[in-house]
């Protein structure tokens, strides 16, 4: 069956482009966006080109008519978040009143304090109102799934989901490696990303001979006083060097030419740099508060998930990576091969279509996500239907 999909989201994201392009090879795909761009071009983000995907601006179309015209048995509307974006939520509510077949994909919300309490009440009310009519929820990590369970959504409708990134332009082993052990911190120099924990961890290192860590983390035109103090502390030690943001393709090349990637986030809905690192065969040191930490799945060669997030644990993880030495070609090739098989756009596309089959049949169980399978001959390796 050839489906017609409409994805409703705030931006045309490079973290979904590989999936949408794979899906558009076999089915009709429309992407409706509310924002003209990502707002992160200063961080190296690039707007992806989506051949075979029709990209429409929310404010430039009659979105109600689009929903009215696409509510047949082969039509699905997939919305970004639940009350995450005002315009997208308006379209979702209208689609629900029309009886359109709908799904969601959602990152976990920060639930602390009074705001978190109010979000829980709102989520519970939304679960009662919309839960029975939603076909599926694509949950960005286990934290998102647990939130939807807490709000009363049926577990059978909650499926693990992931962002995926474009494949690297060249084989990861094509890069020439020079020098000692090298790490990369590919995230903003902010508290949420654990930038201060990284600086403190590097100051704690006892076995740091021959190690270098590069952080591509700042907009030179907008450096705060807090960031300036971190930069001074980092550069005083000589191990951690903090650089301006670079373009995404250049960043992936840097990941390919490093031995480990560091992402000690205090909260991260996903963290697509984990995908990008694994796609070029580079192990990752990542916080358990990062949605993408689930990609490691206990595989020691893929890196380490920090269950306790503080500068002591992070320093230990960095020292462990340093003691292992440069990442070997065989290890790098195994990681990159796994990424191609299990977290590629085509793999996610197959998985998504199987989720639709489950939803349409009313199945009481959910599929194992491709990246959660340890079997290289998983059912998700079948050709696309």
């Amino acid at each position: 069956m050839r489906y017609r999909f409409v994805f409703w989201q705030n931006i045309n994201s490079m973290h979904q482009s590989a999936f949408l392009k794979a899906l558009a090879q076999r089915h009709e795909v429309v992407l409706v966006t509310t924002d003209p761009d990502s707002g992160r071009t200063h961080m190296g983000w690039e707007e992806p080109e989506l051949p075979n995907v029709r990209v429409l601006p929310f404010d430039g179309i009659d979105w109600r008519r689009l929903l009215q015209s696409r509510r047949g048995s082969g039509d699905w509307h997939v919305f970004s978040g639940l009350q995450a974006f005002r315009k997208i939520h308006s379209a979702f509510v209208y689609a629900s009143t029309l009886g359109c077949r709908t799904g969601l994909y959602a990152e976990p919300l920060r639930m602390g304090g009074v705001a978190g309490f109010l979000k829980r009440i709102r989520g519970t009310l939304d679960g009662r109102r919309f839960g029975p009519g939603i076909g599926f929820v694509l949950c960005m990590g286990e934290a998102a799934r647990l939130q939807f369970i807490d709000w009363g959504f049926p577990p059978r409708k909650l499926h693990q989901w992931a962002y995926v990134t474009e494949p690297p332009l060249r084989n990861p082993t094509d890069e020439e490696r020079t020098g000692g052990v090298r790490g990369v911190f590919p995230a903003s120099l902010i508290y949420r990303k654990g930038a201060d924990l990284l600086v403190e961890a590097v100051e704690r290192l006892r076995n740091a001979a021959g190690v270098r860590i590069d952080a591509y983390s700042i907009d030179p035109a907008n450096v705060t006083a807090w960031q300036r103090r971190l930069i001074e502390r980092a550069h005083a030690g000589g191990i951690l060097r903090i650089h301006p943001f670079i373009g995404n393709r250049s960043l992936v090349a840097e990941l390919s030419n490093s031995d480990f990637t560091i992402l000690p986030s205090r909260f991260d809905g996903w963290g697509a740099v984990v995908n990008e690192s694994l796609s070029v065969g580079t192990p990752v040191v990542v916080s358990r508060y990062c949605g993408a930490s689930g990609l490691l799945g206990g595989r020691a060669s893929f890196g380490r998930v920090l269950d306790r997030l503080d500068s002591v644990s992070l320093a230990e993880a960095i020292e462990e990576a340093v003691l292992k030495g440069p990442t070997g070609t065989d290890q790098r090739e195994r990681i990159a091969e796994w990424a191609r098989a299990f977290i590629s756009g085509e793999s996610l596309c197959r998985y998504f279509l199987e989720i639709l089959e489950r939803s349409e049949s009313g199945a009481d169980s959910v599929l194992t996500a491709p990246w959660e399978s340890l079997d290289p001959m998983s059912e998700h390796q079948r050709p696309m239907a």
Side-chain angles (χ1 to χ4, degrees), residues 181-196:
V181 177
R182 180 175 182 240
V184 169
F185 174 73
S188 297
L189 199 73
I190 57 177
Y191 181 83
R192 183 172 63 84
K193 295 288 186 178
D196 56 317

Side-chain angles (χ1 to χ4, degrees), residues 234-255:
H235 290 187
I239 296 173
L240 174 60
R241 306 298 295 179
I242 298 175
H243 311 280
F245 293 115
I246 57 177
N248 184 252
R249 294 182 183 181
S250 298
L251 179 61
V252 172
E254 293 296 333
L255 296 176

Side-chain angles (χ1 to χ4, degrees), residues 81-303:
L82 185 60
Q83 301 215 35
F85 308 101
R86 181 179 56 82
K87 293 177 181 178
I88 298 301
H89 189 67
S90 296
F92 168 67
V93 172
Y94 188 61
S96 299
T97 63
L98 291 175
C100 297
R101 298 207 293 180
T102 61
L104 299 174
Y105 57 91
E107 297 182 5
L109 302 179
R110 303 185 75 169
M111 301 297 288
V114 175
F117 175 74
L118 295 175
K119 289 175 186 176
R120 185 178 184 187
I121 293 175
R122 185 185 68 186
T124 301
L125 294 175
D126 285 341
R128 293 173 183 173
R129 180 182 179 185
F130 301 117
I134 289 176
F136 57 84
V137 181
L138 307 177
C139 302
M140 304 296 298
E142 181 64 7
R145 191 183 74 88
L146 292 175
Q147 284 181 3
F148 276 88
I149 289 176
D150 184 53
W151 297 339
F153 284 76
R156 65 181 177 83
K157 294 185 177 184
L158 307 179
H159 303 267
Q160 292 285 359
W161 194 246
Y163 291 135
V164 292
T165 53
E166 296 287 351
L169 295 178
R170 53 184 153 182
N171 188 300
T173 58
D174 288 346
E175 288 284 357
E176 295 270 344
R177 283 303 321 277
T178 58
V181 177
R182 180 175 182 240
V184 169
F185 174 73
S188 297
L189 199 73
I190 57 177
Y191 181 83
R192 183 172 63 84
K193 295 288 186 178
D196 56 317
L197 295 178
L198 175 60
V199 172
E200 292 171 12
V202 170
E203 290 172 340
R204 289 179 175 272
L205 293 179
R206 294 167 297 178
N207 299 305
V211 63
R212 170 184 167 185
I213 299 174
D214 290 295
Y216 298 95
S217 306
I218 58 171
D219 176 0
N222 294 284
V223 177
T224 67
W226 185 81
Q227 290 175 326
R228 192 171 294 110
R229 288 193 296 271
L230 283 185
I231 294 170
E232 291 171 355
R233 287 173 59 186
H235 290 187
I239 296 173
L240 174 60
R241 306 298 295 179
I242 298 175
H243 311 280
F245 293 115
I246 57 177
N248 184 252
R249 294 182 183 181
S250 298
L251 179 61
V252 172
E254 293 296 333
L255 296 176
S256 179
N257 199 31
S258 68
D259 299 297
F260 60 96
T261 297
I262 310 169
L263 190 63
S265 300
R266 289 183 169 93
F267 178 84
D268 225 326
W270 185 249
V273 292
V274 175
N275 298 66
E276 291 169 330
S277 184
L278 296 177
S279 73
V280 294
T282 300
V284 183
V285 175
V286 59
S287 154
R288 71 182 180 93
Y289 302 108
C290 177
S293 63
L295 296 180
L296 273 65
R299 304 171 184 90
S301 64
F302 284 24

Side-chain angles (χ1 to χ4, degrees), residues 365-385:
S365 60
V366 297
L367 289 166
T368 299
W371 55 93
E372 294 179 327
S373 173
L374 295 175
D375 179 6
M377 298 305 291
S378 164
E379 63 178 0
H380 299 288
Q381 294 302 293
R382 298 198 304 265
M384 247 190 291

